[in-house]
């Protein structure tokens, strides 16, 4: 087999199975870093052996077999305690079972996600840890996305993995109320990663936009592993609806296009249909939550592709529910805009004014919304001031240009 074909086979194994292999090994050894190192050695061995011996019928089982040998060797060199030796022997036995049988090895990624969200792990390390251990994204790429140096991110990840090992954090899916605490953080972390990517889609030099695809991949994994959690499906539906509009957010020349003016023919229909399917499935669980409500709001916007209209009254109702679940600044601003768009600009502006001033000082969407609502109230000079403030708070040059155009046009 050629070197190129071997590399393709190895890359395919990494793409399809990296997170599952790391999770399987780490769940039994309690050592995430050790599992990653062992799997790395196994991948190097594959590049050396597969060109000569051919790609095995079960690449995952082959990698698992080699990785468990590396883990056992490392444990013996370090003279680990007896219970670790027993756990590693279990890996060896299970690896042999996988290689001999037809069943895939257990998928432990959900346990790994909950380990990453454990309260003992530094909050700043949790999302990067998920991206690296579950998706196999290298520390340098994660560092760029989170605006820290590669060295700082590497240290953050090393500390987190050491904490997992030294504190013997159990690899298990927790029960309520611990489940509720940690699943919320898992969902929030994934959405934060997606938002960072979504906001940088027009920045060719940024690695943030890669996070959007990574977050959706984790979201899909989460839905497969947590079929009974409606908020996981709600989050995936929300991300898919937003992602479906990516081709329409900017013109070919790079100009920003606001949502209500986007060409719906450019929206990705299969992605929108997938989002709707997840939203319907979540609704059947009859357990409403923040992400289902946010996805439902985006679903109404998506319906414009069919009717040509937006049901702002329905959006207002959804925002009323959303501020009960998540009364954050984004929800409050969105609710105010929806009230105005539903036909009552004075009430919308009043809702905007009720938000404490200290919460909106540097929040760009607030000032953009304020400019829009002031414009609806024919208060053009104040609207211009708000749009100018909003423009100063964004790093997106296309959005900044759009806001300045609104100032110049007086619309």
């Amino acid at each position: 087999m050629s070197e190129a074909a071997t590399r393709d086979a190895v890359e395919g194994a990494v793409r399809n199975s990296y997170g599952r292999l790391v999770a399987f090994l780490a769940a039994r050894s309690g050592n995430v870093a050790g599992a990653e190192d062992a799997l790395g050695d196994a991948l190097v061995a594959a590049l050396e052996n597969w060109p000569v011996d051919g790609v095995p019928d079960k690449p995952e089982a082959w990698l698992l077999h080699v990785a468990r040998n590396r883990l056992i060797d490392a444990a013996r060199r370090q003279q680990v305690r007896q219970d670790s030796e027993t756990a590693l022997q279990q890996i060896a036995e299970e690896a042999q079972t996988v290689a001999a049988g037809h069943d895939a090895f257990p998928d432990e990624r959900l346990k790994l996600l909950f380990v990453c969200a454990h309260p003992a792990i530094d909050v700043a390390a949790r999302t990067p840890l998920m991206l690296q251990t579950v998706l196999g994204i290298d520390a340098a790429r994660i560092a760029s996305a989170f605006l820290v140096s590669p060295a700082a991110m590497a240290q953050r990840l090393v500390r987190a993995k050491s904490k997992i090992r030294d504190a013997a954090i159990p690899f298990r899916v927790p029960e309520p109320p611990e489940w509720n605490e940690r699943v919320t953080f898992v969902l929030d972390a994934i959405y934060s990663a997606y938002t960072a990517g979504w906001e940088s889609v027009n920045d060719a030099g940024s690695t943030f936009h890669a996070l959007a695809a990574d977050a959706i991949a984790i979201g899909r994994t989460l839905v497969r592993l947590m079929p009974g959690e409606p908020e996981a499906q709600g989050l995936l539906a929300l991300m898919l609806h937003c992602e479906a509009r990516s081709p329409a957010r900017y013109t070919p020349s790079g100009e920003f296009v606001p949502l209500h003016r986007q060409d719906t023919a450019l929206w990705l229909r299969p992605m929108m249909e997938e989002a709707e399917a997840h939203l319907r499935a979540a609704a059947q669980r009859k357990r409403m939550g923040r992400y289902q409500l946010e996805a439902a709001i985006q679903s109404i916007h998506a319906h414009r592709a069919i009717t040509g209209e937006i049901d702002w009254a329905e959006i207002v109702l959804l925002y009323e529910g959303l501020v009960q679940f998540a009364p954050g600044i984004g929800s409050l601003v969105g609710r105010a805009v929806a009230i105005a768009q539903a036909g009552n600009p004075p009430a919308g502006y009043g809702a905007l004014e009720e938000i404490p001033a200290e919460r909106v000082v540097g929040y760009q969407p607030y000032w953009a919304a304020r400019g829009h609502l002031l414009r609806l109230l024919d208060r053009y000079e104040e609207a211009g001031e708000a749009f100018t403030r909003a423009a100063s708070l964004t790093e997106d040059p296309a959005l900044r240009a759009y806001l300045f155009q609104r100032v110049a046009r007086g619309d």
Side-chain angles (χ1 to χ4, degrees):
M1 175 175 286
S2 69
E3 182 178 337
T6 301
R7 187 170 296 278
D8 288 343
V10 171
E11 288 178 353
V14 171
R15 183 170 55 252
N16 297 325
S17 306
Y18 182 89
R20 292 180 62 220
L21 286 163
V22 168
F24 179 89
L25 295 164
R28 283 149 183 79
S29 66
N31 187 342
V32 175
E36 290 176 326
D37 290 343
L39 181 56
D41 289 345
L43 292 169
V44 171
L47 289 171
E48 295 172 347
N49 287 274
W50 290 2
V52 178
D53 302 331
V55 177
D57 294 335
K58 301 182 72 175
E60 291 177 342
W62 191 97
L63 292 169
L64 184 59
H65 177 82
V66 174
R68 64 94 179 180
N69 286 341
R70 299 293 193 274
L71 269 177
I72 291 172
D73 290 343
R76 287 172 177 164
R77 285 196 302 271
Q78 297 167 10
Q79 297 182 333
V80 298
R81 60 185 187 277
Q82 182 61 40
D83 57 345
S84 293
E85 184 75 32
T86 301
L88 292 170
Q89 185 59 40
Q90 180 188 1
I91 296 177
E93 294 172 356
E94 291 192 43
Q96 292 174 347
T97 300
V98 170
H102 300 287
D103 295 334
F105 58 91
D107 194 336
E108 308 282 23
R109 285 175 296 178
L110 183 57
K111 292 179 182 178
L112 184 54
L113 284 168
F114 275 103
V115 167
C116 294
H118 193 279
I121 303 299
D122 179 13
V123 172
R126 295 178 192 176
T127 299
L129 197 58
M130 292 178 200
L131 293 173
Q132 187 183 63
T133 59
V134 178
L135 292 179
I137 301 171
D138 64 86
R141 178 173 156 194
I142 297 172
S144 177
F146 284 83
L147 299 180
V148 299
S149 70
M153 179 56 69
Q155 290 176 357
R156 186 179 297 176
L157 291 167
V158 166
R159 285 195 298 268
K161 293 170 191 176
S162 297
K163 185 70 174 182
I164 293 170
R165 181 195 63 219
D166 297 342
I169 295 175
F171 278 73
R172 62 177 178 81
V173 176
E175 298 292 332
E178 189 182 356
W179 165 282
N180 296 330
E181 176 187 353
R182 278 203 257 172
V183 76
T184 297
F185 185 88
V186 171
L187 295 171
D188 290 349
I190 294 170
Y191 188 48
S192 294
Y194 176 77
T195 300
W198 182 84
E199 290 177 346
S200 66
V201 69
N202 199 41
D203 184 355
S206 173
T207 58
F208 274 57
H209 47 77
L211 280 179
D214 296 336
I216 290 174
I218 292 185
R220 286 196 172 103
T221 297
L222 209 59
V223 167
R224 287 195 299 271
L225 298 176
M226 302 167 59
E229 177 52 63
E231 278 292 84
Q233 290 185 306
L235 172 60
L236 181 55
L238 170 60
M239 294 189 294
L240 289 170
H241 265 313
C242 293
E243 194 67 14
R245 299 173 194 142
S246 291
R249 289 178 59 204
Y250 297 89
T251 67
S253 60
E255 296 175 346
F256 175 79
V257 183
L259 177 57
H260 69 283
R261 291 184 179 176
Q262 289 177 12
D263 181 357
T264 60
L266 298 176
W267 291 353
L268 304 177
R269 296 301 179 91
M271 195 171 283
M272 292 162 63
E273 291 169 1
E274 182 186 357
E276 289 298 296
H278 286 297
L279 193 53
R280 288 194 297 270
Q284 292 175 0
R285 295 285 174 182
K286 300 186 183 303
R287 183 156 52 89
M288 188 55 65
R290 168 197 171 181
Y291 289 110
Q292 293 170 77
L293 287 165
E294 291 203 40
I297 291 169
Q298 297 308 317
S299 175
I300 293 176
H301 283 291
H303 204 63
R304 180 167 68 87
I306 300 173
T307 65
E309 299 177 350
I310 300 174
D311 189 342
W312 283 106
E314 184 65 21
I315 289 179
V316 170
L317 290 176
L318 290 170
Y319 267 116
E320 294 293 353
L322 181 59
V323 295
Q324 300 302 314
F325 282 97
I329 183 67
S331 301
L332 294 171
V333 170
R335 173 177 170 268
V337 172
I339 291 171
Q341 292 296 132
N344 196 341
Y349 183 73
L352 204 63
E353 286 284 86
E354 291 175 0
I355 303 175
E358 63 272 13
R359 298 186 64 183
V360 302
V361 172
Y363 187 63
Q364 190 273 342
Y366 168 86
W367 295 100
R370 182 181 178 87
H372 177 65
L373 268 58
L374 284 166
R375 173 62 186 84
L376 294 178
L377 295 171
D378 297 329
R379 294 163 61 176
Y380 302 107
E381 183 175 350
E382 293 171 89
E385 293 172 355
F387 283 134
T388 300
R389 179 79 172 269
S392 72
L393 293 171
T394 181
E395 296 181 359
D396 182 343
L399 176 56
R400 187 182 303 117
Y402 168 77
L403 291 167
F404 280 135
Q405 287 171 6
R406 293 207 66 177
V407 175
R409 294 196 307 261
D411 67 353

